Structure formats: structure tokens, C-alpha cells
Amino acid sequence: MTEPAPAGAALGEPAAAADRAGLSPLAWRAVLGCIIAAAMTVLDLAMTSTVLGSIQESMGEPLAKGALVISAYATAELITLSLSAFLTRVFPARTYLVLLVCLFVGGALLSACAWSFESLLVARVVQGAASGAIMPFAYYAIVVLLPGDKHPKAISTFSILVTGSYVLAPVLCITLGEWIGWRALYCVAAPVGALGLWLALPGLRHMRTDASSPLGRKVNAVGAGAAVVGLGCTQYALDSGQERGWFSSAVVTLAVGAAIAAAVLFVVTELRSRHPLVDLRLLRLRPFLTSCVFNVVGGVAVYSSYVLIPVYLTTLGFSAADIATVSLYGGTVQLAIALGLPLFLRRIDTYLVSCTGALMFATAALLPFLAGSSPPYVVIVIALMCRSVGSGLLLAALGLMATRTLSAHQAASGSLLFNMARSLGGSVGAAGCAAFLTIREAYHAHAAGVSGVPGVPGVSDTDGAGRSLALHDVFAVAFAILLLLALSLATGYALRRIRERRAALTTDG
């Protein structure tokens, strides 16, 4: 899932106040159009997660391959996100948004017409690449086109529309997905993208960028190449490791080595470059580094759930329409939380809000673990509600935690680093969840003395018992990780209060 970035998560410098004052109606229209384009990407990802089981079934692919639909999207999104600051300096605003929306819509239509699983993956990579740039561009438009006192209103509108996509997604899955099929859902991007462009383009005509400046087009090419190679090799290793026997395969071992080398090269060149993609020196700020580390774990949890929940509900015998119906409860609760979130964040410490979110997320993993192989329907609904509330509180509070540690001139790079941390966690989480689930399914199938599990040569599980036990294991691990995250956040809150008290005593003394 692509969640909203923190306020101030924009790229580029604001336009002059005089220009803003003269463009107020068109500016608001342009910002709304950019927000709708960003919400389009969230809606698409939410619908894909809901019908993932149907996609796997129609394509005849096992879980490990089906999860590629999510993980390949997340990896492409991360690559483009790392380049987004440079890209906004290369293209004029109107041209940039048109290219991004057309790329995303084109990828969506290709997904709808996919003739094979490989063609679907290519289409999802195209969509992920566009999505990784659309979201930061929407914040870029907010900061550049609107005065500072209008940013909270614009950010609130952003959060409401993006969160509303989680409510709309299951509704569309119940209607279009059930009546026509999952391919019809990808056609929704065309009218939504057209609406976003129609609203945005008139106001973006006057939006200033650095596209005409030669300095604006300079970039650390070595760092960009290292990022692409490193992320690509990481994705390949995660996706092919189970099938090829992990480090017993020379190809997988080479991919892991290349990923590590590329990561080191990226860090070294970014620190030395005069035109870095992102300012890695911000990680020297301990509070910001802490929020980014927590955000990686949050990304693992959110994107893993995109893979895990459809598999879990499909194993229980839910159809795509049933999954969409259950997801609607969670989406509705998430929208309600989004409406009240600004109030929570103003009155309650961000550490406590994020800790509460992690605990709610952990509860969402604990309930299916305790319920066993035949959970009551109400338990499933409560678990999905806890997941929606937990993810909303956790990611929003972490975003605010990161923003508060940065000055105005650090906001652009800080936002990119923060969102890259979440996308990196999401890419690893989606692929890792599928790989771990496949490994545990094979283990339980072997223990039961059967052979031939889909995706694992020589292992089968015709009655689904191995899958149920594997899901049980995954929920246990997810609960442990999220509980550890909650305890870490609680510890961070306690340590900060201790430092504040010591500072107060020193001042009084």
C-alpha cells in the first residue's frame, strides 16, 4: 500500500506568494487533481490485494509467484521514488503529470489485457514505476501552489481521499469484479486518471520548476544506477530464492552479492556527490533515523498483509466477493480514523499513537493465530478492523515523528528517505512473506508425509492442512515482530521523557 507521506513531504521550492495569491482557484483545482491521481494509485493497489486470489487462480500460479504482483510493484515504486526529486527538475510540471498518469493508466490497461503471468508482471512494474513518482508530486504541488496556512487543509483532503480509496476498492471488487471479472477493475484507472488531469492541468501551467535550469538536471548517475541494480537484484533473490534453493544456487548467490555491492556503492557515491538523489546525511539525526527504521518495519507489515490476508481468506473458502465484503469493514473504520487522526496527533504524543497502532496491528495478527483453522466470521472482521486502525495510526504517527525532526530545507530529502524506507520494507515484506509461507507449507507437508506443494518441487498438500499450519506460523512471526515494534516505540517514549525531565531539572538547577 502507498500511504500518504508526512506534511511537508514535497520536492522543490515554493513559488512566490504573489503568484499563489493570483492563482488561488486554479491552484486548489490543480492540487485536487494531483491528489485524485495519487488516490488512483492507492485504489489500484487496494483492489489488486483484494482479488489477488482470483488472479492467482486464473493465471494458474502458486502463492510465491502470485505475490510477485505486489512485490514487483513495490520494487518499481521504490526505484522511481528514489529518482523523483531529480525527475521533477527535468520535466515541466504539466508534462510530468501527463507522463505519469498516462504511464500508470497504460500499465493498468495492460494489466487488464494481460495474456500471461509474465505480461501481468511487466504491467505491474510499469504501474509501480509511475506510482512511485505520482505520490511525491502531489505533495510537491501542495507546497508549491498553496500558501503555508492552507497546507493542513490540503493534507487533510489528501488523507481523506486516499483513505476513502480503501472503502471504494472493495465496493468496486464486489460489483465490477464479481459481475465482469478482476480484469475490469484495472479499467477504473482510465476515468479516474482523466479526471485528475482535467482538474490539474490548467493550474499546473503556471507552476514553476527547475526544468529550464541546467543545474536542475544534474544527478548522481552512478548512485541512480546502483539503486536500480541493487533493488532489482534484491527483488530477484527474494522471488527466485525458494525455487532455486537459495544460496545453493550460484545465480541467487551472485544476485545477493551484487545487491550488497550496489548498496555500498550507492551510499558511498551519494555521500560524496554534489548532486545526490537524497541527502543520506540526514540519517545522522538520531530521531529521524529511528523513525525511518520503524518505518521499514511498518512497510514490511503493511505490504505483507497485502499478500497474507487474501491467501488466508482464500484458504478459509472466501470468494473474491466475500473478501471484498470483509475488507469493506476495515476500509470504513480506516476512513473514520483518518477523519479523527489530526485531533489524535495534536493531543497525544506521536510515540504513544504509533505504539498504539503497532499494538492494534499486532492484535490483528494474534486473533487469527488464536482462532485456529476455523475462526468465527466476527473474529475475521475484528482482525481486519484492528489491522486498518493499526496501520493508519502507525504510519501517520511515524510520518509526523520524522517531519518534526527536520528543518524546512531538509524536508524534501527527508520525505524521500522516509518514504523509501517504507517502500523498501514493503518490497522485502511482500516477497519475504510469500517465501516464508511457502517454506513453512513445504515443511508441514513433508512432516505429514505428502508430496507436491505448488511452487515447491516434490511436495503437495491436497487437503490444505499444510497451508493452514503455515499461515499459523506466519501470523505468529508477524505478531512477534509487531509486538517488538510496539515495545521499541514505548521504550523510545520512556527514554525521551527521561531526557526531558533531566533537561528540566538541569534548567531549574
Side-chain angles (χ1 to χ4, degrees), residues 60-306:
E61 296 292 340
L63 168 67
K65 293 294 184 182
L68 282 174
V69 175
I70 302 295
S71 59
Y73 180 99
T75 301
E77 185 180 54
L78 177 56
I79 291 173
T80 313
L81 180 62
S82 66
L83 298 173
S84 58
F86 166 67
L87 294 175
T88 55
R89 300 194 300 265
V90 172
F91 297 100
R94 281 162 53 95
T95 304
Y96 188 50
L97 184 63
V98 169
L99 287 174
L100 293 178
V101 171
C102 289
L103 189 65
F104 188 89
V105 172
L109 296 179
L110 181 60
S111 297
C113 302
W115 57 91
S116 65
F117 186 72
E118 290 71 22
S119 64
L120 177 62
L121 285 184
V122 171
R124 294 300 292 167
V125 167
V126 171
Q127 287 187 272
S131 174
I134 288 176
M135 187 67 72
F137 183 79
Y139 280 95
Y140 176 48
I142 289 174
V143 172
V144 172
L145 292 176
L146 299 178
D149 60 340
K150 302 298 182 183
H151 290 179
K153 181 178 179 180
I155 297 296
S156 298
T157 303
F158 200 153
S159 299
I160 291 171
L161 286 180
V162 168
T163 308
S165 300
Y166 291 107
V167 180
L168 181 60
V171 173
L172 292 174
C173 290
I174 294 171
T175 54
L176 289 178
E178 186 70 10
W179 293 347
I180 304 177
W182 62 266
R183 296 177 183 274
L185 297 173
Y186 287 110
C187 298
V188 174
V192 177
L195 175 62
L197 288 179
W198 177 74
L199 289 171
L201 292 185
L204 293 181
R205 179 183 297 112
H206 306 279
M207 184 171 170
R208 293 181 178 178
T209 68
D210 295 326
S212 59
S213 171
L215 293 177
R217 302 189 181 194
K218 290 188 176 182
V219 67
N220 176 17
V222 176
V228 173
V229 172
L231 292 170
C233 290
T234 301
Q235 184 67 43
Y236 176 81
L238 289 171
D239 296 336
S240 304
Q242 176 63 29
E243 182 180 352
R244 292 180 175 270
W246 296 104
F247 291 105
S248 62
S249 168
V251 177
V252 174
T253 303
L254 182 61
V256 172
I260 295 174
V264 173
L265 179 62
F266 175 78
V267 172
V268 172
T269 57
E270 285 294 289
L271 290 176
R272 294 182 176 181
S273 175
R274 294 183 178 180
H275 306 283
L277 297 173
V278 289
D279 186 5
L280 295 180
R281 294 176 180 83
L282 293 179
L283 296 177
R284 295 175 180 174
L285 302 174
R286 187 173 61 180
F288 180 73
L289 174 62
T290 301
S291 65
C292 285
V293 172
F294 287 151
N295 205 29
V296 171
V297 181
V300 170
V302 170
Y303 277 80
S304 294
S305 67
Y306 284 150

Side-chain angles (χ1 to χ4, degrees), residues 315-330:
T315 302
L316 296 177
F318 281 54
S319 66
D322 295 332
I323 295 174
T325 302
V326 176
S327 301
L328 185 59
Y329 293 110

Side-chain angles (χ1 to χ4, degrees), residues 427-450:
S427 178
V428 174
C433 178
F436 182 69
L437 186 54
T438 303
I439 291 171
R440 297 304 298 171
E441 184 178 1
Y443 169 80
H444 289 297
H446 275 304
V450 295

